[in-house]
Amino acid sequence: MDEFYSSSEKLLKFIEKSPSCFHVVNNISEELEAKGYKKLSENERWELTLGGRYYVVRNGSSLIAFHLPSKGYDGFQLICSHSDSPTFKIKSNPEMEADKKYTKLNVEKYGGMLCAPWFDRPLSVAGRVLVKASDGIRPVLVNIDRDLLMIPNLAIHMNRNANDGYTYNAQIDMCPVFGDETAKDSFLSLIAQSAGTEKENLLDMDLFLYNRQKGTFLGAQEEFIASPRLDDLQCLYGSLQGFLNTEHPKNAVLFCAFDNEETGSVSRQGAASTFLQDVLKRIQFAMGNTQEDYLRAVASSFMISADNAHAVHPNHMDKADPVNRPQMNHGIVLKYNANQKYTTDAVSAAVLRTLCSAGDIPLQVFTNRSDMAGGSTLGNLSNTQVSMRCADVGLAQLAMHSPYEMAGKKDTYYFEKMAALFYQSRIKVTEEGVFIKE
Ligand code: CO
């Protein structure tokens, strides 16, 4: 067993126990607690000390952890990734009856998924519910940890054009079957039971579908991994491990996981919210610094926006840029876009290149074909709230936004290594475009 296998094996285990964004944040919290990180509340006064390790959660689905150096700092160094993935959200009053023979669930799309691979496979339900408690209302995590639902395809005999480019209608085609007619009125009881309460105590819910198929290694040499939610949990997990392994940072370092990237980051807890700015300001003020000090620190800061990238596709090689063609297992992907969907510019790229070269970490480049529009991610949206130098990176993968994606076994390790090196280095800005690495 090598370091590549071991990193990706741990990643697959992390993904398996993280079926929703709420579980992702809960599992990150547990790893932070085990390393002595102290949970802060946004509702209470923060008492911070140099050398301290802390984390804050917003909405149960976004998390920012930070580790202050023991000697003082001049800026922040952070890696941001996202906790959410495209899926289907279960609507209120979820049950629908079909021909008095089936009970199905009413769902709506969350994010931009590939629809076809959601069909004909066991699915289940996870998320959070709000329950009545003696002292008010409390959130409870729920995971129905068994094969529960399926979205059955229409047989080829009844849809002869199914293989000629079918347009899926989310309201008609995508409702999962929950049971036969006897399942009527039992879904909320099942959820309540799983939350350890009665149906009457269930006030509301944020529940999502998830694919039950577990992650695996595949390929002639087991060089690939396949799993649900690799976008973006591969980057999230890699940056978390790099962060946790940093014992003595030389700058104020942060690990950030934001919810709602898949719907555009605009929410109370998304990358375009004030969450990051609020946390950075509160760190500064709790340390006795001023607004002026906050602005100086932001000007001296460096962010890595981490979200998976497209590998060149074996059956669609013409979809990639003619020159910059990322390959799985070939390391960190630096993403560029002239229209600023990605934040990478020559300055931030130069920092990343220096870092990866110092750590002997392979680096490759992604750009869209010039005649194709690509996606967007965290960095440029986060910069609308807190404007700092930023590079966009990712790991090469295939089948992005399918409920079962494919990536490179080695790349999880490369990301952990890059993240650890980034968090351990002091990237000091002396003037515009000039960095000194300590
Ligand atoms: Co992503």
Side-chain angles (χ1 to χ4, degrees):
M1 195 170 83
D2 56 20
E3 69 272 26
F4 298 129
Y5 181 87
S6 132
S7 286
S8 276
E9 193 190 32
K10 288 182 197 145
L11 164 70
L12 296 182
K13 288 210 173 96
F14 179 86
I15 294 177
E16 196 184 318
K17 61 178 186 176
S18 307
S20 80
C21 54
F22 302 106
H23 292 81
V24 171
V25 163
N26 191 57
N27 292 327
I28 298 169
S29 304
E30 281 180 8
E31 295 209 22
L32 290 165
E33 294 274 350
K35 276 275 187 177
Y37 280 78
K38 182 171 174 267
K39 188 172 186 180
L40 299 170
S41 164
E42 288 199 274
N43 304 80
E44 280 159 27
R45 177 171 289 277
W46 291 5
E47 311 281 354
L48 310 179
T49 53
L50 283 176
R53 305 170 183 217
Y54 309 92
Y55 73 100
V56 203
V57 172
R58 189 178 276 189
N59 187 49
S61 60
S62 289
L63 179 148
I64 297 179
F66 56 96
H67 187 172
L68 301 176
S70 45
K71 281 191 182 143
Y73 55 92
D74 42 31
F76 304 105
Q77 289 178 212
L78 48 150
I79 306 182
C80 305
S81 55
H82 64 90
S83 58
D84 61 327
S85 305
T87 175
F88 292 86
K89 185 164 195 268
I90 297 174
K91 295 197 211 173
S92 292
N93 303 310
E95 287 185 16
M96 294 166 80
E97 174 267 339
D99 205 31
K100 296 198 168 57
K101 294 180 176 59
Y102 303 99
T103 306
K104 58 183 187 174
L105 299 182
N106 194 10
V107 296
E108 61 183 318
K109 284 180 170 180
Y110 174 86
M113 75 286 288
L114 285 168
C115 286
W118 280 90
F119 286 84
D120 309 336
R121 53 169 75 222
L123 306 172
S124 197
V125 173
R128 71 160 172 205
V129 295
L130 276 295
V131 297
K132 277 185 211 161
S134 52
D135 57 348
I137 302 168
R138 297 210 164 264
V140 178
L141 290 190
V142 167
N143 176 14
I144 309 295
D145 191 10
R146 67 175 175 90
D147 298 345
L148 181 70
L149 311 167
M150 194 164 106
I151 309 172
N153 251 304
L154 185 59
I156 189 75
H157 317 80
M158 297 169 189
N159 182 11
R160 292 281 178 197
N161 302 324
N163 296 324
D164 304 327
Y166 182 77
T167 303
Y168 296 100
N169 179 313
Q171 191 61 71
I172 295 170
D173 297 302
M174 305 305 299
C175 295
V177 174
F178 167 59
D180 61 16
E181 71 279 16
T182 63
K184 191 171 181 297
D185 294 329
S186 69
F187 182 72
L188 292 179
S189 305
L190 175 74
I191 298 299
Q193 187 189 13
S194 167
T197 188
E198 308 294 318
K199 189 175 159 185
E200 298 70 48
N201 294 330
L202 210 55
L203 292 168
D204 219 309
M205 56 194 195
D206 290 314
L207 294 176
F208 299 92
L209 303 188
Y210 72 93
N211 176 15
R212 290 281 298 162
Q213 188 166 353
K214 292 178 179 12
T216 189
F217 288 82
L218 70 164
Q221 307 288 336
E222 299 201 319
E223 62 268 52
F224 302 124
I225 52 173
S227 166
R229 302 181 294 285
L230 286 170
D231 169 17
D232 188 26
L233 298 188
Q234 194 179 17
C235 285
L236 180 147
Y237 181 83
S239 58
L240 178 64
Q241 298 314 310
F243 182 77
L244 291 171
N245 291 331
T246 303
E247 287 300 326
H248 302 290
K250 302 186 185 98
N251 225 344
V253 295
L254 294 88
F255 161 88
C256 309
F258 292 109
D259 190 9
N260 303 130
E261 192 278 337
E262 298 296 355
T263 57
S265 293
V266 182
S267 66
R268 190 173 75 93
Q269 58 279 347
S273 74
T274 60
F275 188 28
L276 177 62
Q277 185 188 114
D278 295 345
V279 168
L280 297 182
K281 280 190 173 162
R282 290 185 72 168
I283 293 173
Q284 287 299 67
F285 299 157
M287 296 307 293
N289 296 324
T290 63
Q291 173 77 8
E292 166 84 4
D293 297 323
Y294 163 74
L295 294 171
R296 284 174 53 211
V298 169
S300 306
S301 295
F302 196 93
M303 176 196 291
I304 294 177
S305 158
D307 196 0
N308 264 6
H310 301 292
V312 62
H313 195 289
N315 298 339
H316 299 277
M317 288 169 280
D318 60 319
K319 296 286 183 189
D321 179 78
V323 177
N324 300 300
R325 302 163 74 79
Q327 185 178 356
M328 292 182 285
N329 289 318
H330 284 241
I332 310 299
V333 180
L334 194 51
K335 305 195 265 184
Y336 294 80
N337 177 260
N339 295 303
Q340 304 300 306
K341 298 279 192 224
Y342 301 131
T343 55
T344 314
D345 61 9
V347 177
S348 61
V351 172
L352 256 290
R353 287 182 189 282
T354 308
L355 195 71
C356 286
S357 135
D360 219 3
I361 302 159
L363 186 78
Q364 46 185 341
V365 165
F366 174 85
T367 60
N368 290 303
R369 271 183 67 107
S370 306
D371 51 4
M372 281 174 64
S376 176
T377 179
L378 304 151
N380 62 332
L381 290 162
S382 173
N383 257 326
T384 62
Q385 294 293 336
V386 187
S387 310
M388 60 174 69
R389 289 172 186 82
C390 186
D392 269 279
V393 306
L395 297 173
Q397 71 158 96
L398 293 173
M400 190 181 283
H401 290 193
S402 165
Y404 206 64
E405 302 173 322
M406 183 169 167
K409 171 184 83 171
K410 292 182 177 178
D411 292 328
T412 314
Y413 173 78
Y414 289 141
F415 203 95
E416 286 177 14
K417 200 173 169 193
M418 184 278 289
L421 198 57
F422 172 72
Y423 283 129
Q424 284 155 20
S425 309
R426 177 161 167 150
I427 297 172
K428 192 174 171 187
V429 184
T430 53
E431 57 187 280
E432 193 63 48
V434 180
F435 292 84
I436 297 170
K437 189 167 83 69
E438 288 173 0

